[in-house]
PDB file of all heavy atoms in Angstrom:
ATOM      1  N   LEU U 426     100.469 125.102 109.525  1.00 71.00           N
ATOM      2  CA  LEU U 426     100.171 123.843 110.198  1.00 71.00           C
ATOM      3  C   LEU U 426     101.011 122.717 109.615  1.00 71.00           C
ATOM      4  O   LEU U 426     101.526 121.861 110.346  1.00 71.00           O
ATOM      5  CB  LEU U 426      98.682 123.516 110.065  1.00 71.00           C
ATOM      6  CG  LEU U 426      98.203 122.256 110.801  1.00 71.00           C
ATOM      7  CD1 LEU U 426      98.359 122.430 112.298  1.00 71.00           C
ATOM      8  CD2 LEU U 426      96.756 121.954 110.440  1.00 71.00           C
ATOM      9  N   GLU U 427     101.167 122.712 108.292  1.00 74.00           N
ATOM     10  CA  GLU U 427     101.968 121.681 107.647  1.00 74.00           C
ATOM     11  C   GLU U 427     103.420 121.769 108.102  1.00 74.00           C
ATOM     12  O   GLU U 427     104.076 120.748 108.328  1.00 74.00           O
ATOM     13  CB  GLU U 427     101.869 121.828 106.132  1.00 74.00           C
ATOM     14  CG  GLU U 427     102.600 120.743 105.359  1.00 74.00           C
ATOM     15  CD  GLU U 427     102.381 120.886 103.868  1.00 74.00           C
ATOM     16  OE1 GLU U 427     101.292 121.337 103.465  1.00 74.00           O
ATOM     17  OE2 GLU U 427     103.315 120.571 103.110  1.00 74.00           O
ATOM     18  N   THR U 428     103.922 122.985 108.238  1.00 76.00           N
ATOM     19  CA  THR U 428     105.296 123.183 108.714  1.00 76.00           C
ATOM     20  C   THR U 428     105.462 122.649 110.132  1.00 76.00           C
ATOM     21  O   THR U 428     106.423 121.943 110.447  1.00 76.00           O
ATOM     22  CB  THR U 428     105.671 124.671 108.663  1.00 76.00           C
ATOM     23  OG1 THR U 428     105.540 125.144 107.327  1.00 76.00           O
ATOM     24  CG2 THR U 428     107.102 124.887 109.136  1.00 76.00           C
ATOM     25  N   ASP U 429     104.507 122.983 111.009  1.00 81.00           N
ATOM     26  CA  ASP U 429     104.559 122.494 112.391  1.00 81.00           C
ATOM     27  C   ASP U 429     104.464 120.974 112.443  1.00 81.00           C
ATOM     28  O   ASP U 429     105.090 120.324 113.291  1.00 81.00           O
ATOM     29  CB  ASP U 429     103.433 123.120 113.212  1.00 81.00           C
ATOM     30  CG  ASP U 429     103.624 124.613 113.427  1.00 81.00           C
ATOM     31  OD1 ASP U 429     104.764 125.093 113.235  1.00 81.00           O
ATOM     32  OD2 ASP U 429     102.647 125.283 113.781  1.00 81.00           O
ATOM     33  N   LEU U 430     103.661 120.421 111.523  1.00 82.00           N
ATOM     34  CA  LEU U 430     103.465 118.976 111.512  1.00 82.00           C
ATOM     35  C   LEU U 430     104.763 118.243 111.197  1.00 82.00           C
ATOM     36  O   LEU U 430     105.029 117.165 111.727  1.00 82.00           O
ATOM     37  CB  LEU U 430     102.383 118.612 110.485  1.00 82.00           C
ATOM     38  CG  LEU U 430     101.939 117.141 110.415  1.00 82.00           C
ATOM     39  CD1 LEU U 430     101.426 116.673 111.765  1.00 82.00           C
ATOM     40  CD2 LEU U 430     100.880 116.965 109.339  1.00 82.00           C
ATOM     41  N   ARG U 431     105.591 118.833 110.339  1.00 80.00           N
ATOM     42  CA  ARG U 431     106.865 118.214 109.990  1.00 80.00           C
ATOM     43  C   ARG U 431     107.801 118.134 111.200  1.00 80.00           C
ATOM     44  O   ARG U 431     108.667 117.264 111.269  1.00 80.00           O
ATOM     45  CB  ARG U 431     107.539 118.987 108.862  1.00 80.00           C
ATOM     46  CG  ARG U 431     106.878 118.805 107.512  1.00 80.00           C
ATOM     47  CD  ARG U 431     107.572 119.594 106.425  1.00 80.00           C
ATOM     48  NE  ARG U 431     106.972 119.315 105.135  1.00 80.00           N
ATOM     49  CZ  ARG U 431     107.326 118.301 104.355  1.00 80.00           C
ATOM     50  NH1 ARG U 431     108.283 117.489 104.749  1.00 80.00           N
ATOM     51  NH2 ARG U 431     106.731 118.101 103.204  1.00 80.00           N
ATOM     52  N   LEU U 432     107.628 119.053 112.147  1.00 84.00           N
ATOM     53  CA  LEU U 432     108.505 119.090 113.321  1.00 84.00           C
ATOM     54  C   LEU U 432     107.915 118.359 114.521  1.00 84.00           C
ATOM     55  O   LEU U 432     108.590 118.184 115.532  1.00 84.00           O
ATOM     56  CB  LEU U 432     108.785 120.550 113.702  1.00 84.00           C
ATOM     57  CG  LEU U 432     109.394 121.437 112.603  1.00 84.00           C
ATOM     58  CD1 LEU U 432     109.496 122.878 113.093  1.00 84.00           C
ATOM     59  CD2 LEU U 432     110.756 120.912 112.189  1.00 84.00           C
ATOM     60  N   ALA U 433     106.642 117.964 114.412  1.00 85.00           N
ATOM     61  CA  ALA U 433     105.941 117.419 115.574  1.00 85.00           C
ATOM     62  C   ALA U 433     106.593 116.144 116.099  1.00 85.00           C
ATOM     63  O   ALA U 433     106.720 115.957 117.313  1.00 85.00           O
ATOM     64  CB  ALA U 433     104.479 117.156 115.217  1.00 85.00           C
ATOM     65  N   GLN U 434     107.010 115.253 115.201  1.00 82.00           N
ATOM     66  CA  GLN U 434     107.583 113.986 115.656  1.00 82.00           C
ATOM     67  C   GLN U 434     108.912 114.206 116.363  1.00 82.00           C
ATOM     68  O   GLN U 434     109.178 113.599 117.407  1.00 82.00           O
ATOM     69  CB  GLN U 434     107.763 113.036 114.464  1.00 82.00           C
ATOM     70  CG  GLN U 434     108.138 111.612 114.880  1.00 82.00           C
ATOM     71  CD  GLN U 434     108.060 110.653 113.703  1.00 82.00           C
ATOM     72  OE1 GLN U 434     107.633 111.014 112.610  1.00 82.00           O
ATOM     73  NE2 GLN U 434     108.474 109.413 113.921  1.00 82.00           N
ATOM     74  N   ASP U 435     109.739 115.104 115.821  1.00 83.00           N
ATOM     75  CA  ASP U 435     111.026 115.404 116.462  1.00 83.00           C
ATOM     76  C   ASP U 435     110.828 116.082 117.812  1.00 83.00           C
ATOM     77  O   ASP U 435     111.644 115.920 118.729  1.00 83.00           O
ATOM     78  CB  ASP U 435     111.867 116.297 115.551  1.00 83.00           C
ATOM     79  CG  ASP U 435     112.303 115.576 114.286  1.00 83.00           C
ATOM     80  OD1 ASP U 435     112.367 114.327 114.320  1.00 83.00           O
ATOM     81  OD2 ASP U 435     112.566 116.253 113.277  1.00 83.00           O
ATOM     82  N   LYS U 436     109.746 116.851 117.949  1.00 87.00           N
ATOM     83  CA  LYS U 436     109.472 117.554 119.201  1.00 87.00           C
ATOM     84  C   LYS U 436     108.661 116.705 120.180  1.00 87.00           C
ATOM     85  O   LYS U 436     108.238 117.186 121.223  1.00 87.00           O
ATOM     86  CB  LYS U 436     108.733 118.857 118.898  1.00 87.00           C
ATOM     87  CG  LYS U 436     109.587 119.852 118.098  1.00 87.00           C
ATOM     88  CD  LYS U 436     108.770 120.982 117.507  1.00 87.00           C
ATOM     89  CE  LYS U 436     108.198 121.882 118.577  1.00 87.00           C
ATOM     90  NZ  LYS U 436     107.509 123.074 117.990  1.00 87.00           N
ATOM     91  N   ASP U 437     108.421 115.441 119.806  1.00 89.00           N
ATOM     92  CA  ASP U 437     107.724 114.488 120.679  1.00 89.00           C
ATOM     93  C   ASP U 437     106.325 114.994 121.044  1.00 89.00           C
ATOM     94  O   ASP U 437     105.881 114.864 122.194  1.00 89.00           O
ATOM     95  CB  ASP U 437     108.545 114.234 121.957  1.00 89.00           C
ATOM     96  CG  ASP U 437     108.157 112.918 122.629  1.00 89.00           C
ATOM     97  OD1 ASP U 437     107.653 112.022 121.929  1.00 89.00           O
ATOM     98  OD2 ASP U 437     108.329 112.812 123.853  1.00 89.00           O
ATOM     99  N   GLU U 438     105.627 115.546 120.053  1.00 90.00           N
ATOM    100  CA  GLU U 438     104.283 116.076 120.295  1.00 90.00           C
ATOM    101  C   GLU U 438     103.189 115.052 120.009  1.00 90.00           C
ATOM    102  O   GLU U 438     102.032 115.265 120.371  1.00 90.00           O
ATOM    103  CB  GLU U 438     104.058 117.328 119.445  1.00 90.00           C
ATOM    104  CG  GLU U 438     104.926 118.516 119.874  1.00 90.00           C
ATOM    105  CD  GLU U 438     104.672 119.752 119.043  1.00 90.00           C
ATOM    106  OE1 GLU U 438     104.014 119.625 117.982  1.00 90.00           O
ATOM    107  OE2 GLU U 438     105.132 120.838 119.422  1.00 90.00           O
ATOM    108  N   PHE U 439     103.531 113.952 119.350  1.00 92.00           N
ATOM    109  CA  PHE U 439     102.539 112.911 119.096  1.00 92.00           C
ATOM    110  C   PHE U 439     102.390 112.024 120.337  1.00 92.00           C
ATOM    111  O   PHE U 439     103.357 111.781 121.059  1.00 92.00           O
ATOM    112  CB  PHE U 439     102.949 112.039 117.909  1.00 92.00           C
ATOM    113  CG  PHE U 439     102.906 112.728 116.581  1.00 92.00           C
ATOM    114  CD1 PHE U 439     103.965 112.636 115.702  1.00 92.00           C
ATOM    115  CD2 PHE U 439     101.799 113.466 116.195  1.00 92.00           C
ATOM    116  CE1 PHE U 439     103.937 113.261 114.469  1.00 92.00           C
ATOM    117  CE2 PHE U 439     101.759 114.097 114.975  1.00 92.00           C
ATOM    118  CZ  PHE U 439     102.831 114.001 114.104  1.00 92.00           C
ATOM    119  N   PHE U 440     101.198 111.521 120.558  1.00 93.00           N
ATOM    120  CA  PHE U 440     100.993 110.532 121.613  1.00 93.00           C
ATOM    121  C   PHE U 440      99.880 109.586 121.189  1.00 93.00           C
ATOM    122  O   PHE U 440      99.114 109.868 120.267  1.00 93.00           O
ATOM    123  CB  PHE U 440     100.660 111.201 122.958  1.00 93.00           C
ATOM    124  CG  PHE U 440      99.348 111.956 122.981  1.00 93.00           C
ATOM    125  CD1 PHE U 440      98.192 111.372 123.475  1.00 93.00           C
ATOM    126  CD2 PHE U 440      99.273 113.269 122.529  1.00 93.00           C
ATOM    127  CE1 PHE U 440      96.995 112.062 123.511  1.00 93.00           C
ATOM    128  CE2 PHE U 440      98.068 113.972 122.552  1.00 93.00           C
ATOM    129  CZ  PHE U 440      96.933 113.371 123.044  1.00 93.00           C
ATOM    130  N   MET U 441      99.811 108.449 121.866  1.00 94.00           N
ATOM    131  CA  MET U 441      98.870 107.395 121.492  1.00 94.00           C
ATOM    132  C   MET U 441      97.720 107.321 122.483  1.00 94.00           C
ATOM    133  O   MET U 441      97.900 107.513 123.687  1.00 94.00           O
ATOM    134  CB  MET U 441      99.569 106.029 121.438  1.00 94.00           C
ATOM    135  CG  MET U 441     100.675 105.924 120.409  1.00 94.00           C
ATOM    136  SD  MET U 441     100.075 106.127 118.714  1.00 94.00           S
ATOM    137  CE  MET U 441      98.970 104.713 118.588  1.00 94.00           C
ATOM    138  N   VAL U 442      96.536 107.043 121.952  1.00 94.00           N
ATOM    139  CA  VAL U 442      95.366 106.725 122.765  1.00 94.00           C
ATOM    140  C   VAL U 442      94.805 105.398 122.269  1.00 94.00           C
ATOM    141  O   VAL U 442      95.096 104.958 121.154  1.00 94.00           O
ATOM    142  CB  VAL U 442      94.297 107.837 122.689  1.00 94.00           C
ATOM    143  CG1 VAL U 442      94.806 109.114 123.319  1.00 94.00           C
ATOM    144  CG2 VAL U 442      93.858 108.083 121.250  1.00 94.00           C
ATOM    145  N   PHE U 443      93.999 104.770 123.117  1.00 94.00           N
ATOM    146  CA  PHE U 443      93.486 103.440 122.796  1.00 94.00           C
ATOM    147  C   PHE U 443      92.001 103.394 123.113  1.00 94.00           C
ATOM    148  O   PHE U 443      91.576 103.821 124.193  1.00 94.00           O
ATOM    149  CB  PHE U 443      94.240 102.367 123.593  1.00 94.00           C
ATOM    150  CG  PHE U 443      95.726 102.432 123.402  1.00 94.00           C
ATOM    151  CD1 PHE U 443      96.510 103.235 124.214  1.00 94.00           C
ATOM    152  CD2 PHE U 443      96.336 101.709 122.396  1.00 94.00           C
ATOM    153  CE1 PHE U 443      97.884 103.311 124.036  1.00 94.00           C
ATOM    154  CE2 PHE U 443      97.708 101.772 122.219  1.00 94.00           C
ATOM    155  CZ  PHE U 443      98.482 102.583 123.038  1.00 94.00           C
ATOM    156  N   GLN U 444      91.206 102.877 122.177  1.00 94.00           N
ATOM    157  CA  GLN U 444      89.767 102.742 122.408  1.00 94.00           C
ATOM    158  C   GLN U 444      89.432 101.259 122.519  1.00 94.00           C
ATOM    159  O   GLN U 444      89.703 100.478 121.601  1.00 94.00           O
ATOM    160  CB  GLN U 444      88.957 103.375 121.279  1.00 94.00           C
ATOM    161  CG  GLN U 444      87.456 103.410 121.590  1.00 94.00           C
ATOM    162  CD  GLN U 444      86.691 104.287 120.624  1.00 94.00           C
ATOM    163  OE1 GLN U 444      87.009 104.351 119.443  1.00 94.00           O
ATOM    164  NE2 GLN U 444      85.675 104.971 121.117  1.00 94.00           N
ATOM    165  N   PRO U 445      88.832 100.847 123.645  1.00 94.00           N
ATOM    166  CA  PRO U 445      88.575  99.421 123.873  1.00 94.00           C
ATOM    167  C   PRO U 445      87.454  98.869 122.988  1.00 94.00           C
ATOM    168  O   PRO U 445      86.571  99.592 122.540  1.00 94.00           O
ATOM    169  CB  PRO U 445      88.190  99.365 125.350  1.00 94.00           C
ATOM    170  CG  PRO U 445      87.684 100.733 125.667  1.00 94.00           C
ATOM    171  CD  PRO U 445      88.450 101.676 124.802  1.00 94.00           C
ATOM    172  N   GLN U 446      87.519  97.552 122.759  1.00 94.00           N
ATOM    173  CA  GLN U 446      86.516  96.820 121.992  1.00 94.00           C
ATOM    174  C   GLN U 446      85.963  95.712 122.889  1.00 94.00           C
ATOM    175  O   GLN U 446      86.725  94.917 123.442  1.00 94.00           O
ATOM    176  CB  GLN U 446      87.139  96.236 120.715  1.00 94.00           C
ATOM    177  CG  GLN U 446      87.665  97.315 119.777  1.00 94.00           C
ATOM    178  CD  GLN U 446      88.638  96.785 118.742  1.00 94.00           C
ATOM    179  OE1 GLN U 446      89.273  95.759 118.945  1.00 94.00           O
ATOM    180  NE2 GLN U 446      88.777  97.498 117.630  1.00 94.00           N
ATOM    181  N   GLN U 447      84.626  95.686 123.026  1.00 93.00           N
ATOM    182  CA  GLN U 447      83.980  94.765 123.972  1.00 93.00           C
ATOM    183  C   GLN U 447      83.270  93.642 123.224  1.00 93.00           C
ATOM    184  O   GLN U 447      82.568  93.865 122.237  1.00 93.00           O
ATOM    185  CB  GLN U 447      82.962  95.517 124.832  1.00 93.00           C
ATOM    186  CG  GLN U 447      82.311  94.659 125.905  1.00 93.00           C
ATOM    187  CD  GLN U 447      81.250  95.427 126.669  1.00 93.00           C
ATOM    188  OE1 GLN U 447      80.362  96.022 126.063  1.00 93.00           O
ATOM    189  NE2 GLN U 447      81.348  95.440 127.989  1.00 93.00           N
ATOM    190  N   GLU U 448      83.463  92.436 123.730  1.00 93.00           N
ATOM    191  CA  GLU U 448      82.766  91.278 123.188  1.00 93.00           C
ATOM    192  C   GLU U 448      81.369  91.225 123.800  1.00 93.00           C
ATOM    193  O   GLU U 448      81.211  91.187 125.025  1.00 93.00           O
ATOM    194  CB  GLU U 448      83.555  90.006 123.515  1.00 93.00           C
ATOM    195  CG  GLU U 448      82.991  88.749 122.905  1.00 93.00           C
ATOM    196  CD  GLU U 448      83.835  87.540 123.259  1.00 93.00           C
ATOM    197  OE1 GLU U 448      83.927  87.231 124.472  1.00 93.00           O
ATOM    198  OE2 GLU U 448      84.407  86.930 122.345  1.00 93.00           O
ATOM    199  N   LEU U 449      80.324  91.233 122.960  1.00 93.00           N
ATOM    200  CA  LEU U 449      78.954  91.318 123.458  1.00 93.00           C
ATOM    201  C   LEU U 449      78.532  90.056 124.199  1.00 93.00           C
ATOM    202  O   LEU U 449      77.784  90.130 125.182  1.00 93.00           O
ATOM    203  CB  LEU U 449      77.995  91.598 122.296  1.00 93.00           C
ATOM    204  CG  LEU U 449      78.075  93.009 121.701  1.00 93.00           C
ATOM    205  CD1 LEU U 449      77.122  93.145 120.524  1.00 93.00           C
ATOM    206  CD2 LEU U 449      77.755  94.053 122.757  1.00 93.00           C
ATOM    207  N   SER U 450      78.981  88.897 123.754  1.00 90.00           N
ATOM    208  CA  SER U 450      78.517  87.654 124.370  1.00 90.00           C
ATOM    209  C   SER U 450      79.000  87.498 125.810  1.00 90.00           C
ATOM    210  O   SER U 450      78.321  86.880 126.630  1.00 90.00           O
ATOM    211  CB  SER U 450      78.982  86.454 123.531  1.00 90.00           C
ATOM    212  OG  SER U 450      80.403  86.410 123.486  1.00 90.00           O
TER     213      SER U 450
END
Side-chain angles (χ1 to χ4, degrees):
L426 184 64
E427 184 176 327
T428 301
D429 292 343
L430 185 58
R431 288 180 176 274
L432 304 175
Q434 190 170 354
D435 293 336
K436 295 166 67 174
D437 201 25
E438 292 181 347
F439 291 132
F440 65 97
M441 298 297 297
V442 294
F443 305 88
Q444 188 168 36
Q446 298 162 336
Q447 184 184 52
E448 185 179 63
L449 289 178
S450 62

